[in-house]
Amino acid sequence: MIDRAWIAARIPHAGDMCLLDAVDEWSADAIVCRASSHRLPGNPLRAGGQLGITAGIEYAAQAMAVHGALLAGSDTAPTAGYLVSVRDVHWQHPRLDDRAGDLEVSAERLSGNGTNVLYRFSLCADGEVLLSGRAGVVLDASQS
C-alpha cells in the first residue's frame, strides 16, 4: 500500500502541505490518488475559512509528483519538478472543502521526456468532476 508516509518521503511537501493520503492505483501512464485533507480546518491552502477550487491544482501537482516518484522506482525522492503551466482548466464547483467524500485525484501522462512532462488531471468527489485541466511540468535536468 502506498500511504501518506510513503508519499511524504518522496515529494517536497512536508507536514500539512502533503495533501494526499494514498495512491489507489497507478501505471506507467496514469495515477489515481485519494485525499481527505480538503475537509481539515487546518489545511494550509485555506483562505478566508474556505478551500477554493483552485487549490485543486496543487492536489493534482502532488499526484503528478507521486507518479514521478513511482516511475523513478527508488526509495529516494526523484528529480525535482516544477509546474510551469496549466491550461484548459475547468471547474464545476467553486470549493473543495464542502465535499463530504474523499477527493479522487487523477493524472494521466500525455507526453514527456527527460526534461518535460505533460499531464491531464481531474479531481472528483461524491461522484462528480470538480476540476479538470492539463499541466506542464519541467524536470530539473541539472541533477541528471
Side-chain angles (χ1 to χ4, degrees):
M1 180 173 157
I2 302 169
D3 62 8
R4 189 175 191 285
W6 189 98
I7 292 167
R10 287 164 182 83
I11 65 173
H13 303 84
D16 291 342
M17 213 31 223
C18 178
L19 302 172
L20 304 174
D21 295 326
V23 174
D24 289 339
E25 58 186 84
W26 74 280
S27 69
D29 298 320
I31 189 166
V32 179
C33 299
R34 185 172 10 94
S36 60
S37 60
H38 63 292
R39 296 187 300 261
L40 298 176
N43 185 307
L45 299 178
R46 280 185 180 257
Q50 296 182 350
L51 185 62
I53 193 68
T54 57
I57 294 169
E58 178 61 29
Y59 280 84
Q62 288 190 23
M64 294 172 220
V66 172
H67 190 243
L70 288 163
L71 292 176
S74 76
D75 288 333
T76 60
T79 301
Y82 302 93
L83 186 65
V84 294
S85 71
V86 290
R87 299 188 186 266
D88 293 329
V89 177
H90 301 277
W91 59 86
Q92 310 306 317
H93 194 72
R95 295 171 53 185
L96 295 175
D97 59 312
D98 60 354
R99 292 303 172 141
D102 285 351
L103 295 177
E104 180 181 281
V105 185
S106 302
E108 177 188 5
R109 185 181 168 124
L110 300 175
S111 64
N113 56 36
T115 57
N116 299 291
V117 185
L118 178 64
Y119 280 95
R120 177 182 3 234
F121 64 87
S122 67
L123 271 74
C124 300
D126 305 324
E128 183 181 345
V129 176
L130 306 176
L131 175 73
S132 63
R134 289 182 295 130
V137 176
V138 171
L139 304 174
D140 185 3
S142 67
Q143 293 185 21
S144 336

